[in-house]
Each structure stands twice: as C-alpha cells, then as structure tokens.
Amino acid sequence: MKTVLLIILSFVAHTFLLAGLKFLMVGWFTVTTKLMENVLVNVPDGADRAIFWGRILGFTSHPMLWIFILAVNYGNS
C-alpha cells in the first residue's frame, strides 16, 4: 500500500513541478518578448539595442546557445 501511495504521490509531484516549469518558461519568454517590442518601438536605435539585449537574455537563459552566440560574435568581429 505504501508503494502505491508513493508512486501516486511521485506522479502528482512530477506533474505539478512540470506544470510550474512550463508556466515559468512561458512567462519568461512573454516578458522578454514584450521587452524587445518596447525597445524596438520606443528607441531610435532600437534594433541595435534589441539585438544587444537579445544576446544577453539568450546567453543567460540558454546555456546551450553560448557556443553559437560566441561563434556568431567572433565571426562578425
């Protein structure tokens, strides 16, 4: 009986944590997208600033993109 309860509790916890993670991911991308839109609309050099902040946000939030970002920056320098 304990094993069945532990399996059910583990499944519920896993589902809850996964839902929370998805919520945070969607919220993060929504906030950063709105930030990029505001930067592009309100500033004369908005495209340059959006690229700059996009690289920073991408670098901090997606470690798998670090090599790609560094390679692109190295190729453009």
Side-chain angles (χ1 to χ4, degrees):
M1 185 64 183
K2 268 187 173 179
T3 306
V4 173
L5 184 61
L6 186 60
I7 290 172
I8 292 172
L9 187 60
S10 174
F11 178 74
V12 169
H14 180 267
T15 304
F16 178 75
L17 290 174
L18 197 58
L21 180 62
K22 287 180 182 177
F23 174 77
L24 290 175
M25 288 172 58
V26 169
W28 171 256
F29 288 119
T30 302
V31 167
T32 55
T33 302
K34 288 296 179 188
L35 175 66
M36 292 301 106
E37 288 176 1
N38 290 336
V39 167
L40 282 171
V41 168
N42 296 327
V43 181
D45 61 341
D48 294 333
R49 290 192 182 193
I51 291 169
F52 173 73
W53 284 107
R55 286 179 178 169
I56 290 175
L57 292 170
F59 192 81
T60 56
S61 63
H62 301 289
M64 293 299 290
L65 294 177
W66 291 0
I67 294 173
F68 176 75
I69 293 169
L70 291 173
V72 168
N73 288 338
Y74 179 76
N76 289 333
S77 63

